[in-house]
Amino acid sequence: MSQPPQPPPGAPTEFGPPPAAFGPVVPPMPTAPPTSVSLPKVRRARQWPAFALIAVGIALVLGSGTVYLTSGGAGAKGGPTAGAAEGTSKGAGSGEQGPPPEGKLLFHQFAPKAISATDRVAGEWATDKVYAKAGFKDITGYDRASGAQLWKLPLPTPECATTLQSTADGVTVIAYDDEKKPTFEGTGVCSNIAAFNITTGKMLWHTSTPVYGISADGTGDAHLFVQEIAISGGTAAAGSATDGGAAWDIATGKLLWKPTAGADNCRDDGYAGGPALVAVRRCGDVDRPSLSVQTLDPATGQPLSTYKVSSAFRDVHVLSAKPLVIGGYPGGDSSGAKVSDIYSVDATGKELAHITIPDEKYAIDCKLEVGTCLGPLAGGGKLFLPTAEHANVSPDVPGHTNEFVAFDLATGQPAPGRVDAGDGGKLFPIRMDGDNVIALRTPPVYGHGEVVRIEGATMKKTVLMQLPNDDKVFNRAIEIYDYRNDDLLYDRDRLYVGDRLMDKSDDEIDGPHYLISVLGTT
């Protein structure tokens, strides 16, 4: 990677207060959320890829794989037996668990009416005091205990890229559309970056992305178009796939590096963050690129290690930044969705193992961006994967099911044990918890959904929270849950489910739905 450029003489390295377009932080609302509301109509399933299609071709984020932002009902009469509906663990050392902690819907907010066909509202974050959620042209902070609104941060335009990651002191970075650029089919030019404090809602700084050339119509400068954001240490890096990458110091807003033109014709495709900052570097010819995966020094952008990718790949994804795990599809795929080969890499850039993924067997959901794959998680020397959904064991149980399995990152071989979701249920990994996995188990027709912990060493499943099934709106949201429609966050014994898109057609047909649902045992 080239040396980070120095700011030109007179260029500011710190940013002042937000312009008037942002508006002041709105003070708290005078009343807490109601404890009893009349339920709106149940929301219909959106016309988006469901979990059944993930393996054919779905990052929360959530991190690469799923990057996490902080440190830390009764069966129906006449229905199937409990054994058919409830998930089972086949890991070594599995034991019986007593009655699981019962969760309840602590608070929620209905989504405002969508203005366009789809309004972007992706992004949610949590600290020990505040849960913050992106809305349409704003971000709102709620008291973690009561759900009362603490602050609202207006934005001049809709957000267009977010990350679930944040700094140790609770600061995250978002991107939002340029106010002056024309839009195309409702999508603006994603070229503004801002940092804000999750606890206070204070905007710390904001700036435009670097100029990398002349606009397509020749009327002005072309700014880097942000497609993904990754945070590691005190650095926020923005990837653009076609425009290269840039990074900022989160504390000050100082630009650390930007796209540069060189004889080698190289650029950063994008980044994955969390405990390490990883870049995919592309050089040479468009049709026959040379790819490498670099672990970077977040402060300088200089590579700490480099892994040379096989020439068979035109695109690769970072499934986990640390341990470093990458995936790709030989020959490339226009959607960027397919992953057929996975490689584990050590801290020096040496390949450890190669895992071949049979087509449509595992639920790995990738887009074109480098760090947005959802499904795979890695830790404790293992790669964890959900399988694609398939027919239930019992033909009498409606729906489909899947399993959770693991591979040894040192050898590439399957690790002992697996966790079954049980007939009618499906397992969605949320994040790593040390060497263990936190996952959502969606509810079967006869039973409850659950938040579970899967022990990495034994594949033993423990239910952390049994989800309620007495709220029709929440039930429907969980039943049709998929990675791309909803943000999912589990933090300090709370499950946060946040909408990513507000669909105007849904509003017109089915009425309002939840923007956020917050569940816990206390």
Side-chain angles (χ1 to χ4, degrees):
M1 177 173 292
S2 57
Q3 290 285 342
Q6 298 298 317
T13 57
E14 297 190 10
F15 298 86
F22 282 94
V25 173
V26 177
M29 295 184 68
T31 58
T35 57
S36 177
V37 297
S38 59
L39 294 175
K41 298 176 184 178
V42 176
R43 191 180 189 189
R44 68 181 174 88
R46 305 180 194 122
Q47 302 304 310
W48 277 62
F51 193 79
L53 302 179
I54 292 176
V56 188
I58 322 177
L60 222 105
V61 137
L62 289 172
S64 302
T66 302
V67 175
Y68 186 55
L69 75 159
T70 66
S71 59
K77 184 177 181 180
T81 63
E86 298 300 319
T88 59
S89 171
K90 296 185 181 298
S94 296
E96 295 297 326
Q97 179 185 0
E102 294 187 4
K104 59 183 178 180
L105 188 61
L106 300 177
F107 62 90
H108 64 266
Q109 291 289 338
F110 292 116
K113 186 175 181 179
I115 298 173
S116 60
T118 53
D119 293 338
R120 301 181 303 256
V121 291
E124 62 176 353
W125 308 268
T127 68
D128 59 341
K129 297 179 180 179
V130 174
Y131 166 65
K133 177 72 181 80
F136 185 66
K137 295 186 180 182
D138 59 44
I139 300 170
T140 303
Y142 302 94
D143 184 275
R144 181 182 177 275
S146 69
Q149 180 179 308
L150 298 176
W151 52 261
K152 184 182 286 288
L153 177 63
L155 299 174
T157 57
E159 55 82 13
C160 49
T162 61
T163 174
L164 296 180
Q165 299 155 1
S166 65
T167 63
D169 56 351
V171 176
T172 193
V173 174
I174 63 168
Y176 58 94
D177 289 340
D178 191 317
E179 295 178 85
K180 301 178 181 179
K181 298 293 184 181
T183 61
F184 176 72
E185 295 183 352
T187 301
V189 178
C190 191
S191 58
N192 288 319
I193 292 283
F196 72 93
N197 185 292
I198 300 167
T199 300
T200 65
K202 179 182 178 182
M203 179 77 71
L204 303 181
W205 55 264
H206 61 91
T207 185
S208 296
T209 58
V211 173
Y212 76 92
I214 304 298
S215 61
D217 59 9
T219 59
D221 294 331
H223 289 260
L224 183 145
F225 190 108
V226 180
Q227 292 180 285
E228 63 182 336
I229 299 172
I231 291 176
S232 185
T235 295
S240 182
T242 58
D243 304 341
W248 294 264
D249 179 88
I250 296 176
T252 65
K254 178 183 177 181
L255 183 66
L256 299 177
W257 66 82
K258 64 180 181 179
T260 56
D264 55 1
N265 194 26
C266 292
R267 70 169 190 268
D268 288 351
D269 270 2
Y271 306 94
L277 184 62
V278 177
V280 172
R281 187 82 169 157
R282 179 181 300 268
C283 298
D285 186 77
V286 174
D287 295 324
R288 298 177 63 86
S290 173
L291 300 175
S292 60
V293 178
Q294 298 179 330
T295 299
L296 307 179
D297 179 342
T300 65
Q302 295 302 304
L304 301 175
S305 67
T306 299
Y307 171 74
K308 188 73 173 177
V309 178
S310 166
S311 59
F313 295 91
R314 292 183 60 184
D315 298 283
V316 291
H317 302 282
V318 178
L319 307 182
S320 169
K322 188 176 183 179
L324 181 54
V325 183
I326 66 172
Y329 185 77
D333 173 58
S334 59
S335 69
K338 289 187 176 182
V339 170
S340 61
D341 295 82
I342 294 176
Y343 300 87
S344 58
V345 181
D346 72 8
T348 68
K350 178 184 176 182
E351 181 180 311
L352 295 175
H354 173 205
I355 303 169
T356 301
I357 302 298
D359 193 25
E360 301 185 21
K361 185 172 182 179
Y362 297 99
I364 302 176
D365 169 24
C366 299
K367 296 296 183 184
L368 290 172
E369 295 80 15
V370 164
T372 58
C373 290
L374 302 173
L377 293 176
K382 292 182 179 179
L383 170 69
F384 301 94
L385 290 175
T387 67
E389 66 175 54
H390 54 79
N392 294 320
V393 174
S394 172
D396 298 327
V397 180
H400 294 80
T401 187
N402 76 328
E403 295 82 38
F404 207 71
V405 300
F407 292 85
D408 189 307
L409 288 176
T411 65
Q413 297 301 307
R418 71 174 188 181
V419 177
D420 295 333
D423 281 356
K426 290 180 284 291
L427 283 164
F428 291 81
I430 300 176
R431 64 172 174 90
M432 293 300 297
D433 180 29
D435 293 343
N436 305 320
V437 175
I438 303 295
L440 168 71
R441 177 178 172 268
T442 59
V445 173
Y446 307 100
H448 293 263
E450 299 167 336
V451 177
V452 302
R453 180 179 64 242
I454 300 169
E455 293 184 13
T458 65
M459 298 297 282
K460 175 184 176 182
K461 184 192 74 174
T462 301
V463 179
L464 301 178
M465 178 168 56
Q466 180 176 273
L467 303 181
N469 61 1
D470 56 355
D471 186 296
K472 295 180 181 179
V473 179
F474 172 73
N475 291 355
R476 185 59 176 158
I478 290 297
E479 286 168 5
I480 65 171
Y481 173 78
D482 72 68
Y483 288 122
R484 294 298 173 188
N485 282 343
D486 304 280
D487 286 322
L488 196 62
L489 173 64
Y490 185 74
D491 177 72
R492 299 174 180 87
D493 302 323
R494 297 285 174 89
L495 178 68
Y496 302 92
V497 183
D499 216 350
R500 295 179 60 83
L501 286 171
M502 297 190 301
D503 191 324
K504 188 175 183 180
S505 63
D506 279 356
D507 289 346
E508 293 173 346
I509 297 173
D510 296 327
H513 59 278
Y514 290 163
L515 176 67
I516 61 170
S517 306
V518 180
L519 297 101
T521 56
T522 56

